[in-house]
Amino acid sequence: MDIEALSLSGVMRLKPARHGDARGWFSETWSARSLESAGITTTFVQDNVSYSAAVGTVRGLHYQAPPSAQAKLVMVLTGAIRDAVVDVRVGSPTYGRWLAVDLTAEGGEQLLVPEGYLHGFVTTQPDTRVLYKVSAPYDPAADGAVRWDDPELGIDWGIDPAKAVVSAKDAAAPAFRDWTSPFGSDA
């Protein structure tokens, strides 16, 4: 597995090897033993799958507050997404900075998102299914969101915001400047 550290602390792109033949291919997408050797020791406790029919479907920017904070490992099963994360660890030298990574089913890339980051994605192909492993069970009391198209963050989603398909929850999320991060720099 190829592992690439990205510009925000702890955020990594993983590229599992694919072993192919005339039938197709096989890939080991998660192995605690293999990743421990690279310093990745996150324990995942739940798998989630989302399905989005339309291109331009936005999910995010979401988080689970401590003590129910979640690290995530995101991969695309069908279709493609632009996956975005924002560092919201108070005191972090990269607080408020974001990065976006394109993930595709065809490419098999994964994104490891540690605790202390807002997370969201937009679909760039129709009929997209996304699998994400999380390190803590969903807790409705810890659930939160920040406005996905916040101009202060300035995330390049690669779509026309006027054509985005957004849930009522995400459309009503607070602006970044009106939100208080629950994450310390030790997240």
Side-chain angles (χ1 to χ4, degrees):
M1 180 174 301
D2 292 329
I3 300 171
E4 175 188 3
L6 300 179
S7 62
L8 297 176
S9 177
V11 179
M12 298 180 202
R13 182 184 355 232
L14 286 65
K15 176 82 175 179
R18 287 187 173 173
H19 309 281
D21 60 24
R23 301 168 296 164
W25 52 263
F26 170 84
S27 182
E28 186 176 88
T29 60
W30 177 257
S31 165
R33 182 178 57 199
S34 295
L35 294 177
E36 280 175 9
S37 66
I40 300 170
T41 58
T42 304
T43 300
F44 292 105
V45 300
Q46 180 176 311
D47 283 356
N48 303 317
V49 176
S50 70
Y51 168 75
S52 302
V55 170
T57 299
V58 175
R59 296 181 185 267
L61 296 163
H62 300 153
Y63 67 94
Q64 289 270 263
S68 299
Q70 295 177 331
K72 297 178 181 176
L73 181 65
V74 183
M75 72 180 291
V76 177
L77 300 174
T78 60
I81 63 172
R82 173 163 287 178
D83 204 345
V85 298
V86 181
D87 183 352
V88 292
R89 299 168 299 146
V90 174
S92 167
T94 56
Y95 182 83
R97 292 193 196 156
W98 61 271
L99 66 80
V101 175
D102 294 322
L103 304 176
T104 66
E106 183 178 306
E109 313 88 351
Q110 300 177 15
L111 188 66
L112 180 64
V113 182
E115 294 177 12
Y117 285 83
L118 301 175
H119 174 256
F121 63 84
V122 62
T123 57
T124 57
Q125 291 182 8
D127 297 317
T128 293
R129 287 179 178 81
V130 177
L131 169 70
Y132 48 105
K133 299 175 117 21
V134 294
S135 63
Y138 174 73
D139 177 359
D143 189 42
V146 170
R147 183 122 182 133
W148 70 277
D149 59 349
D150 186 289
E152 189 172 320
L153 293 174
I155 296 171
D156 177 7
W157 293 95
I159 62 164
D160 177 353
K163 295 181 180 177
V165 179
V166 182
S167 72
K169 170 190 164 184
D170 290 346
F176 186 67
R177 73 175 54 205
D178 298 331
W179 172 77
T180 301
S181 176
F183 298 99
S185 60
D186 59 342

